[in-house]
Amino acid sequence: MSELYQALAQGLLIGATYGLLALGMGLVYGVSGVVNFSHGDFISLGMFMCLALYSAFAMDPYVSIIITVPLMTAIGALVYIFLIRPMVGHQFLMVVQLTLGLSLVLQNGILMVFGGEPARTPSFVESKLIILGDVVLRVPHIVAFVVSFALAIGLYIMLRSTDFGRSIRAVHQNAHAAALMGINVGRVQVLTFALGIGILALAAALLLPGTPIQPTQGLRYTVITLLVVVLGGMTNFVGIMLGGLIIGIAEAFGTIYLDGPIGLLLPYIIFVAIMLFLPKGLTWSSAR
């Protein structure tokens, strides 16, 4: 029974961070219709930025967000303006090819600068544990859980209660009508993409303590994010967070209870099983 509680706790904590990763993709897709296949490589870029800051200034990953988040937000804006915006409205496959190419550029750029060996970025909370009976919780996972849910709630309030949030929702519903109402659609799309990349920089710092990193890890995060957004609904905040928790729990159960490839495949098996019964994802179930 203790293993069950451990798996549930571990899955919930890491699943919240997966939900945060997916919120960035959901925001971008909702406003511009772009599915960013370089999503995971931006997460990897954020992690290696934290590594560079630690190597140069001994800066803890949690402290480094004061630099990495604004920097990656600016990078996101530039990427959208010069690379993605010219492709928006063209064939979907052209945008897919562009983001896949961007993924290769980021991956190989990181490889050239940092090399191919796995690396770690220490943190002052990396080895700290909280023991609740038979359940052992890592403090970095707890921090990631709390910050992820706090940011998700903040984003939800922003979308509902601010002019910028209402502009995002208007562009999502009908970009042409939003433009006729005086909303600068292009500006909203740029800022939303930049916000999505900034969220990834924060998520990268939350995932980093105690986690070995390497330049090729981006694909894994992209696949996990796609699982979560498809499972939860591309633009459904509640569904996305719930989807992140489901994938996180499935991953934890696979790690603890199953050995070998089956354990690694469990999140994908559960994803397929859910989609067979709920082909529209958790958006369908939440609308009932």
Side-chain angles (χ1 to χ4, degrees), residues 1-281:
M1 186 61 71
S2 62
E3 287 187 346
L4 174 63
Y5 293 147
Q6 181 69 45
L8 285 173
Q10 182 176 317
L12 287 172
L13 294 180
I14 196 65
T17 312
Y18 288 164
L20 180 62
L21 299 181
L23 286 179
M25 181 177 284
L27 273 174
V28 171
Y29 178 81
V31 169
S32 61
V34 172
V35 178
N36 181 12
F37 284 89
S38 60
H39 191 85
D41 294 284
F42 277 107
I43 299 169
S44 183
L45 177 62
M47 289 180 169
F48 276 95
M49 282 184 177
C50 292
L51 173 63
L53 290 170
Y54 179 83
S55 300
F57 308 108
M59 189 177 293
D60 191 274
Y62 294 137
V63 178
S64 67
I65 62 175
I66 62 176
I67 296 175
T68 60
V69 171
L71 181 58
M72 283 192 59
T73 300
I75 291 173
L78 293 173
V79 166
Y80 189 87
I81 291 170
F82 292 105
L83 294 179
I84 295 185
R85 184 161 64 184
M87 293 294 156
V88 173
H90 292 72
Q91 291 185 2
F92 178 75
L93 286 179
M94 292 180 65
V95 181
V96 170
Q97 289 173 333
L98 174 64
T99 57
L100 284 173
L102 182 58
S103 171
L104 293 174
V105 170
L106 289 172
Q107 184 179 128
N108 285 281
I110 293 171
L111 185 63
M112 289 173 62
V113 174
F114 295 95
E117 293 297 320
R120 289 176 62 258
T121 305
S123 170
F124 71 98
V125 300
E126 177 182 341
S127 59
K128 295 185 182 298
L129 303 173
I130 293 179
I131 301 175
L132 301 174
D134 294 327
V135 177
V136 179
L137 304 176
R138 292 185 62 230
V139 169
H141 287 169
I142 296 174
V143 172
F145 177 87
V146 172
V147 173
S148 296
F149 262 100
L151 185 57
I153 293 170
L155 287 172
Y156 183 83
I157 293 173
M158 181 270 290
L159 288 173
R160 295 288 175 178
S161 305
T162 68
D163 290 339
F164 179 57
R166 285 186 281 267
S167 296
I168 291 176
R169 290 163 56 202
V171 173
H172 165 62
Q173 292 174 8
N174 190 318
H176 182 66
L180 292 177
M181 295 297 105
I183 295 175
N184 188 330
V185 174
R187 178 174 173 271
V188 170
Q189 290 175 336
V190 171
L191 292 177
T192 304
F193 190 89
L195 175 62
I197 300 301
I199 289 173
L200 297 186
L202 177 59
L206 295 175
L207 288 166
L208 192 54
T211 302
I213 58 175
Q214 54 187 1
T216 56
Q217 67 189 349
L219 177 61
R220 174 178 177 269
Y221 288 118
T222 298
V223 171
I224 288 175
T225 302
L226 287 171
L227 288 182
V228 173
V229 294
V230 173
L231 184 61
M234 293 294 286
T235 57
N236 181 349
F237 263 40
V238 176
I240 285 174
M241 290 305 294
L242 182 57
L245 295 178
I246 290 173
I247 295 300
I249 291 172
E251 186 177 275
F253 269 76
T255 301
I256 292 175
Y257 284 102
L258 300 173
D259 295 326
I262 297 298
L264 298 175
L265 287 175
L266 185 60
Y268 305 95
I269 294 171
I270 290 178
F271 169 80
V272 172
I274 292 175
M275 296 306 294
L276 285 174
F277 292 98
L278 296 173
K280 294 183 179 180

